[in-house]
């Protein structure tokens, strides 16, 4: 068979090898090929984690140490809390007929409850925090004699006191306000501080300050009315004393002691009208103040236009004014009838005319309310607030709707009071005109009597109103009532050292696992049999790392004396044929020779991707394994640049190939029998000036072809083809090539490149051999179950049992 025919047939046979006993693939693929398999192999992922477990554990431990250091380096923060109940403010003073206090309470919304959302806004307001800040700055030091940490510019290094605004901002930042239960309207207030004393103190200070503000806010409702009544009472008292003195002096001078009955009735009506006008004025003061308060609240929320009052004034229209004047006239008429007939107050239905007046008053009130409701709807703001309420901010939106409705109602009532005051004033002018028409001697007396009775009645009315309002104002308290005062925190709430440690360990674990997968992705080293198997060529044998064995068997020596030769201790198939390493080379021999009985691999070339990968040792041990079958084996050292076969076998370097080709040294002298029976060596000889030309020489090819007839197998130890191409001519002479890779040294990209280069020159790659394998350090240890390399230990145990 010619060489061309041989290599042509070799191609198909090589394909059969790759599809045969070794599980090879017909389509060769590179390691780490992204298109190889996109599925996630959970077993492989777990294997990566277990493989780098100590690295992951170390990173996790370091991260935990850093977390512990960080946790203990943080300043402890203490938390104290207290609670408030937001309840409806009920009048502790109430009496029958206290119309003014009832008016103030209803018009201001006092005693009608408050949405908890409003109170939360008050608690979080700048005003409250500034007042608390003022108190803290004034106190300066805590109960333990130390300055409040919140005043420090940088606690605990810089004790410079910061500004009031900074303290207020820190109070708001360190305070947490939370609604605990909606049903009970319970608010919990928490405060964080570097000092437990400060945490307790400021929590209580916030609760107390809020209570004071809430109480002040409730009591402000009566302030305007009280101030007005106080001024009126002072004026009326002076006027009453003056009127009484003038009446007494006139009566002493004129001896007039009484007036006619008609004039007396007029004076009584004037007195009643003056009292009614005084009540209207006091009520109007309260209503006007309430209008201002509601407008301020609306403007603070910034949701309704500040010009709502002007809009109301423009929209009320002539109809509303006409109704209000008619209502004022009817109520004035009804008041005069009741003044003349007090018994009708309890039984108004006894007098048909009074019953008719009451019906007309109610009808006019309904018409005014309808106009007011129409105004509210037509304004359009109610629709806007309804939409706002539907967005989830129901507390504030509902409060705005309530404020807006109350504001418009108060403005309408204010207009009604003005109309009533106008009507009463007109009636007073009419009644006073009657007095002016009396005889001169009676006019002065009647006027003096009128002034005294009017002033006296005003004095009594104002005194009663002032007393009721003052007592009502003093019995008002805030909407928030303290439930639990703040406690002294014994232990810091922050930092949570356990949580920080847990987070540190979790981050360390994530970082460790991430680094493991990162290292695995960046790992280009042959660290497992599976990576070699993925190149698409049969993995002929996995040779275990012989370093521990040599250290144990030969005490770590590099050479031993064998038949007068200094052979390398790596030549274990000769030195210790009953060993797991020798057994693995026998497996390599069997997989080469017996797996394809129809193909005769007479000339086998051993190469690698780089230097130091163990191809020379593999060739020497494979030669012994082949010779054990009674065959005659020739080992040719064709690595002319770095020859090492003579060192492994303990033979001389010369004569060798160089001497046989260039010095015509006899072939019998160049080929020497080694210490291994049946194994012969053709060494490299002296160093050539151009190794590549020597490998391409015709004389060398003829010599190798001639030696094929003399030996059963020829093993050619070539230069690493991944680096040097010197062996290419020799590969054309070989029947097959075995590519040696070293565990933990060969790079996947180098192996891929070497295989690609071998395929380009169309050589027959029999398969690969992985040498220096350490299963416990390999990627296969936690993943692959195809080969149990721990059976090498089982091999030794079996040998011991046999012995």
């Amino acid at each position: 068979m010619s060489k061309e025919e041989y290599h042509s047939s070799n191609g198909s046979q090589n394909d059969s090898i790759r599809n045969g006993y070794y599980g090879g693939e017909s389509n060769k693929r590179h390691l780490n090929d992204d298109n190889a398999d996109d599925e996630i192999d959970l077993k492989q992922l777990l294997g990566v984690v277990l493989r780098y477990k100590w690295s992951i554990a170390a990173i996790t431990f370091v991260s935990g140490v850093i977390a512990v250091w960080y946790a203990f380096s943080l300043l402890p923060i203490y938390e104290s809390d207290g609670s408030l109940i937001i309840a409806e403010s009920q009048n502790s003073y109430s009496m029958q007929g206290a119309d003014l206090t009832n008016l103030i309470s209803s018009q201001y919304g006092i005693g009608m409850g408050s949405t908890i959302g409003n109170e939360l806004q008050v608690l979080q307001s700048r005003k409250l925090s500034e007042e608390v800040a003022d108190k803290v700055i004034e106190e300066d030091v805590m109960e333990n004699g130390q300055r409040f940490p919140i005043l420090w510019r940088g606690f605990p290094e810089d004790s410079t006191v910061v500004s009031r605004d900074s303290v207020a901002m820190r109070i708001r930042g360190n305070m947490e306000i939370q609604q605990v239960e909606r049903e009970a309207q319970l608010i919990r207030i928490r405060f964080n501080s570097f000092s437990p004393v400060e945490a307790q103190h400021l929590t209580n200070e916030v609760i107390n300050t809020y209570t004071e503000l809430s109480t002040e806010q409730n009591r402000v409702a009566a302030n305007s009315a009280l101030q007005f009544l106080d001024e009126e009472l002072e004026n009326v008292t002076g006027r009453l004393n003056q009127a009484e003195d003038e009446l007494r002096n006139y009566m002493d001078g004129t001896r007039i002691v009484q007036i006619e009955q008609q004039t007396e009735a007029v004076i009584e009506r004037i007195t009643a009208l003056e009292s009614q006008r005084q009540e209207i004025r006091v009520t109007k003061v309260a209503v006007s103040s309430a209008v201002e308060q509601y407008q301020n609240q609306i403007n603070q929320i910034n949701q309704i236009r500040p010009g709502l009052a002007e809009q109301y004034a423009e929209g009320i229209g002539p109809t509303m004014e006409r109704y209000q004047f008619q209502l004022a006239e009817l109520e004035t008429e009804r008041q005069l009838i009741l003044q003349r007939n007090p018994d009708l107050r309890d039984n108004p239905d006894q007098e048909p005319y009074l019953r008719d007046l009451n019906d007309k008053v109610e009808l006019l009130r309904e018409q005014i309310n309808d106009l007011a409701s129409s105004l509210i709807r037509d304004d359009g703001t109610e629709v806007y607030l309804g939409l706002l309420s539907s967005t989830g901010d129901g507390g504030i939106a509902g409060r705005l709707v309530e404020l807006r409705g109350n504001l418009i109602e108060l403005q309408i009532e204010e207009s009604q009071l003005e109309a009533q005051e106008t009507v009463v004033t007109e009636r007073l002018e009419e009644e006073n005109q009657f007095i002016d028409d009396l005889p001169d001697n009676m006019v002065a007396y009647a006027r003096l009597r009128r002034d005294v009775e009017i002033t006296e009645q005003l004095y009594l009315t104002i005194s009663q109103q002032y007393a009721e309002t003052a007592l009502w104002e003093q019995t008002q308290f805030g909407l928030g009532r303290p439930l639990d005062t703040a406690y002294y925190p014994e232990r810091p709430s922050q930092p949570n050292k356990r949580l920080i440690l847990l987070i540190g360990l979790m981050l360390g674990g994530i970082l460790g696992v991430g680094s493991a997968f990162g290292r695995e992705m960046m790992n280009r080293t042959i660290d497992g049999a599976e990576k070699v198997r993925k190149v698409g060529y049969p993995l002929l044998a996995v040779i275990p790392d012989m370093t521990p064995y040599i250290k144990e068997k030969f005490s770590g020596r590099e050479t031993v004396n064998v038949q007068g030769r200094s052979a390398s201790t790596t030549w274990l198939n000769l030195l210790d044929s009953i060993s797991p390493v020798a057994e693995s080379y026998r497996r390599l021999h069997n997989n080469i020779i017996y797996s394809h009985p129809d193909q005769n691999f007479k000339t086998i070339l051993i190469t690698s991707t780089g230097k130091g990968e163990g191809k020379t040792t593999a060739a020497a041990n494979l030669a012994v394994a082949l010779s054990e079958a009674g065959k005659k084996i020739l080992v040719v050292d064709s690595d002319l640049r770095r020859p090492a076969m003579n060192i492994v076998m303990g033979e001389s370097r010369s004569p060798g190939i160089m001497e046989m080709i260039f010095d015509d040294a006899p072939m019998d002298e160049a080929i020497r029998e080694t210490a291994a029976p049946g194994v012969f060596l053709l060494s490299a000889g002296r160093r050539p000036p151009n190794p590549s030309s020597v490998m391409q020489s015709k004389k060398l090819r003829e010599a190798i072809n001639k030696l094929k007839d003399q030996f059963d197998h020829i093993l050619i130890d070539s230069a690493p083809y991944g680096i040097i191409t010197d062996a290419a001519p020799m590969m054309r002479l070989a029947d097959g090539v075995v590519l040696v890779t070293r565990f933990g040294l060969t790079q996947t990209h180098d192996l891929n490149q070497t295989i690609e280069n071998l395929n380009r020159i169309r050589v027959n790659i029999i398969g690969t051999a992985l040498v220096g394998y350490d299963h416990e350090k390999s990627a296969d240890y936690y993943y692959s179950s195809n080969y149990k390399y721990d059976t090498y230990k089982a091999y030794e145990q079996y040998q011991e049992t046999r012995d």
Side-chain angles (χ1 to χ4, degrees), residues 719-788:
Y721 194 71
I723 302 176
I724 305 298
T725 60
D726 294 351
M730 299 298 293
M731 290 179 181
R732 302 295 294 179
L733 298 176
D735 299 323
V737 174
V738 175
L739 183 59
V740 174
T741 60
R742 188 166 192 85
F743 177 84
L745 178 63
T746 304
Q747 301 293 307
T748 56
H749 57 277
D750 292 336
L751 179 58
N752 289 329
Q753 187 65 37
T754 302
I755 292 176
E756 184 177 345
N757 291 332
L758 291 174
N759 287 328
R760 285 177 180 172
I761 62 175
R762 302 182 64 81
V763 300
N764 180 26
I765 302 176
I766 303 175
T768 60
L770 179 61
V771 302
Y773 185 76
D774 187 346
H775 183 48
E776 293 183 355
K777 296 180 181 179
S778 72
D780 308 323
Y781 187 76
Y782 299 100
Y783 178 75
S784 178
S785 59
N786 293 334
Y787 289 92
K788 296 296 183 182

Side-chain angles (χ1 to χ4, degrees), residues 143 433 483:
E143 298 176 358
Q433 185 65 41
L483 179 63

